[in-house]
Amino acid sequence: MINHFNVSVAPFGSLPDGGNVSRYELSNPLGMRVGILDFGGIIQSIEVPDRAGEFADVALGFSHLEPYLEKSPYVGALVGRYANRIAGGKFSLQGKQYELAINNGPNHLHGGEQGFDKRLWQARAESTDDAAVLVLSLVSADGDQGYPGEVAVEVTYSLHADNSLAMAVKAKTDAPTLLNMTQHSYFNLSGEPDVLNHEVQIFADRYTPVNSDLIPTGELAPVADTPLDFTSPVKIGARIESDHSQLRFGAGYDHNYVLNKARLEELSLAASAYSEETGRKLELYTTEPGLQFYSGNFLDGELEGKNGVIARRSGFCLEPQHFPDSPNQAHFPSVELNPGQEYTSQTIFKFSLV
């Protein structure tokens, strides 16, 4: 057990272009450890105790670099410039039309073929009396993946004494553009082969229904009387096989929830997840207006993770974000970023025992 905050660094492989990837490990006085890569800003591991005091890694990931380069389904990644889907990969901004890569059926997903999750970030580690800190920075060129404007992004991960991992994002642009980032970790608090026994609560009375291409219809629909209602704690597996069009479209849960907020950008509790088997609880706080809840339906078992095969529903995601396809849905909260403005976003993953 350590009695202070610390950040250590070790090599984690090399990229095809010769760039060297490093793994930074943040640790706190309670023994919690978080591994983060400077490639993709990826959270590679999160070690927290169960109710018996036994530490285990609750984040899906890989023990070496290659799977992250090949076909990793955004495991642990920082996603940008645009988290989630944009219909047809097209949008209009201040009178100009833009076309992006089509990399998810007929749509653009998670920033394109070479999004922020596939970049080597500049890293700076810090330790203070209050936190273990890793600062990652990236400059995304004008035209990157089809997006306008040069965007400078800084992401700060900080591990605190209460077993909370905070992520703060700041960004600026030199021309009008879109920005909507998220953290795409897959969690399994139990160590079981799937996450269906986890109890999840999402503080949202509405969600954005999707069509068969998983693009929002534009409606903000109530979750009441649907299998998508997590306003009270419900096991992920309780209703996931219900005969409901939304669950058929997503092959389970893959939906954006409209978070209950008094003010649009307030930092508030968005969701929680709990494993009765281990006593581990995860609470998610965010300033974002939406939360994508994904039950790992498209994990295909082809990749070997740190703790075994990454199979269907072996992890779940709670992705704080703006709504999918916002550039094409004028009544959704805006994702436009202009020169002179600063994009900011805060998210906290807090681990505890029950």
Side-chain angles (χ1 to χ4, degrees):
M1 183 79 66
I2 60 172
N3 57 11
H4 57 278
F5 294 99
N6 189 55
V7 183
S8 60
V9 60
F12 199 78
S14 298
L15 299 172
D17 66 4
N20 293 318
V21 176
S22 296
R23 178 184 182 272
Y24 293 80
E25 186 170 273
L26 284 58
S27 52
N28 75 0
L30 296 180
M32 180 174 170
R33 299 190 298 176
V34 179
I36 302 172
L37 306 183
D38 54 8
F39 176 77
I42 289 166
I43 295 178
Q44 186 261 346
S45 63
I46 301 176
E47 295 179 44
V48 292
D50 63 11
R51 63 165 65 93
E54 296 293 322
F55 280 77
D57 189 351
V58 298
L60 301 194
F62 306 103
S63 57
H64 56 288
L65 182 61
E66 284 68 27
Y68 290 112
L69 302 179
E70 294 164 5
K71 56 167 294 184
S72 169
Y74 305 97
V75 173
L78 275 179
V79 173
R81 287 188 191 189
Y82 196 94
N84 220 306
R85 296 169 178 87
I86 295 177
K90 297 179 181 180
F91 66 92
S92 176
L93 180 63
Q94 299 191 3
K96 292 184 180 180
Q97 290 288 129
Y98 296 92
E99 293 196 11
L100 309 170
I102 304 302
N103 63 328
N104 181 252
N107 305 312
H108 176 81
L109 177 68
H110 289 337
E113 298 288 354
Q114 293 291 320
F116 290 177
D117 62 299
K118 297 291 194 295
R119 305 295 173 83
L120 188 61
W121 294 61
Q122 294 291 317
R124 183 179 80 252
E126 302 172 356
S127 292
T128 71
D129 291 339
D130 302 314
V133 180
L134 181 66
V135 182
L136 300 174
S137 58
L138 179 76
V139 175
S140 174
D142 179 33
D144 186 4
Q145 309 301 298
Y147 289 94
E150 180 182 276
V151 173
V153 185
E154 184 178 273
V155 177
T156 301
Y157 286 112
S158 53
L159 177 62
H160 296 269
D162 62 352
N163 280 0
S164 66
L165 177 66
M167 183 183 83
V169 185
K170 298 189 297 184
K172 291 186 176 181
T173 182
D174 67 357
T177 193
L178 309 179
L179 198 61
N180 174 35
M181 293 178 60
T182 196
Q183 221 302 322
H184 204 294
S185 285
Y186 290 78
F187 299 101
N188 184 322
L189 305 177
S190 68
E192 298 296 317
D194 63 53
V195 293
L196 298 180
N197 269 337
H198 286 63
E199 288 185 1
V200 167
Q201 184 172 14
I202 302 175
F203 297 92
D205 297 328
R206 297 176 297 167
Y207 75 107
T208 52
V210 293
N211 61 24
S212 58
D213 290 327
L214 301 181
I215 294 295
T217 63
E219 184 183 5
L220 304 181
V223 298
D225 302 318
T226 78
L228 290 93
D229 187 350
F230 286 90
T231 51
S232 298
V234 178
K235 287 187 176 182
I236 293 174
R239 301 174 303 207
I240 199 168
E241 302 297 345
S242 299
D243 185 20
H244 189 282
S245 61
Q246 290 296 304
L247 295 182
R248 290 197 300 273
F249 291 156
Y253 298 107
D254 192 6
H255 294 84
N256 171 65
Y257 284 77
V258 180
L259 296 174
N260 300 336
K261 285 185 179 283
R263 291 178 293 107
L264 187 61
E265 296 179 353
E266 72 173 347
L267 181 66
S268 58
L269 181 60
S272 65
Y274 170 63
S275 165
E276 187 176 359
E277 293 95 331
T278 64
R280 294 189 184 101
K281 184 175 184 178
L282 166 61
E283 293 172 300
L284 174 74
Y285 298 79
T286 188
T287 56
E288 291 295 304
L291 181 76
Q292 187 84 4
F293 173 47
Y294 176 47
S295 51
N297 315 305
F298 300 114
L299 299 176
D300 57 15
E302 291 186 10
L303 292 172
E304 183 75 22
K306 295 168 297 187
N307 303 312
V309 170
I310 294 185
R312 187 171 192 243
R313 296 176 179 164
S314 59
F316 65 90
C317 299
L318 298 170
E319 306 162 51
Q321 57 172 22
H322 274 59
F323 304 168
D325 200 36
S326 290
N328 299 309
Q329 313 250 6
H331 59 295
F332 285 0
S334 175
V335 292
E336 190 172 327
L337 181 66
N338 290 297
Q341 297 177 327
E342 184 176 57
Y343 171 100
T344 60
S345 178
Q346 285 180 274
T347 295
I348 299 171
F349 300 97
K350 186 176 188 300
F351 295 87
S352 60
L353 293 168
V354 177

